[in-house]
Amino acid sequence: MMKQIEVVAAIIHDDEGRIFTTQRGYGDYKDGWEFPGGKMELGETPEEALKREIWEELETRIVVERLVHTVEFDYPQFHLTMHCFWCHVESGSLTLKEHEAAKWLSRNELDSVKWLPADVKVVEDVKRMM
């Protein structure tokens, strides 16, 4: 049976209508672009996990507004379930602790980066929302 991984991701938007994206700095998918987030821990709600992960990765407090999409995606090594939430910054400066780069992208710029495979589906939803 294929390994199952459940994660959460933040689609962080700003007042100018841009989306915050991060470039992965490690692992098999290093250099790919993604929505920041991470694995849920036992007993956490997706929203709690997302707030914790964004604090750990970016030293930023976020407001989780609503669920946008839950992606089910088969990578060669595992099956990913990714809960993606529309969010905005409450406080903090989006300091990169784990990623190698980050960008604020407008709707027209979303296709300018090489997204990780599971995130591609979410980008299409985000474009419709913007």
Side-chain angles (χ1 to χ4, degrees):
M1 188 165 150
M2 189 178 269
K3 181 177 175 182
Q4 307 276 326
I5 297 178
E6 188 171 15
V7 301
V8 289
I11 305 166
I12 301 171
H13 65 94
D14 68 7
D15 293 339
E16 297 172 41
R18 299 175 307 170
I19 302 296
F20 186 74
T21 62
T22 52
Q23 189 175 30
R24 203 166 175 89
Y26 56 90
D28 291 342
Y29 296 95
K30 182 182 181 326
D31 298 331
W33 288 82
E34 63 184 352
F35 297 105
K39 292 182 185 172
M40 294 172 56
E41 293 180 357
L42 197 61
E44 280 184 318
T45 67
E47 294 85 352
E48 289 167 344
L50 192 53
K51 288 179 179 185
R52 176 187 51 75
E53 282 286 343
I54 297 303
W55 176 251
E56 289 173 3
E57 290 183 9
L58 299 168
E59 288 185 359
T60 298
R61 303 265 181 229
I62 58 167
V63 174
V64 178
E65 297 176 37
R66 67 183 182 278
L67 179 68
V68 171
H69 191 111
T70 295
V71 174
E72 300 286 343
F73 191 86
D74 287 324
Y75 281 98
Q77 311 88 336
F78 59 90
H79 176 81
L80 179 74
T81 300
M82 180 170 64
H83 308 287
C84 304
F85 290 87
W86 194 246
C87 307
H88 66 267
V89 171
E90 183 175 41
S91 63
S93 58
L94 295 168
T95 303
L96 299 184
K97 309 273 283 191
E98 295 183 18
H99 297 91
E100 61 186 20
K103 292 182 182 181
W104 283 99
L105 299 175
S106 68
R107 184 186 192 284
N108 295 338
E109 294 169 324
L110 285 173
D111 293 328
S112 69
V113 298
K114 185 167 176 23
W115 291 96
L116 293 179
D119 291 74
V120 169
K121 296 178 177 190
V122 183
V123 170
E124 294 309 312
D125 286 343
V126 169
K127 283 187 205 169
R128 285 193 289 277
M129 292 173 62
M130 294 175 79

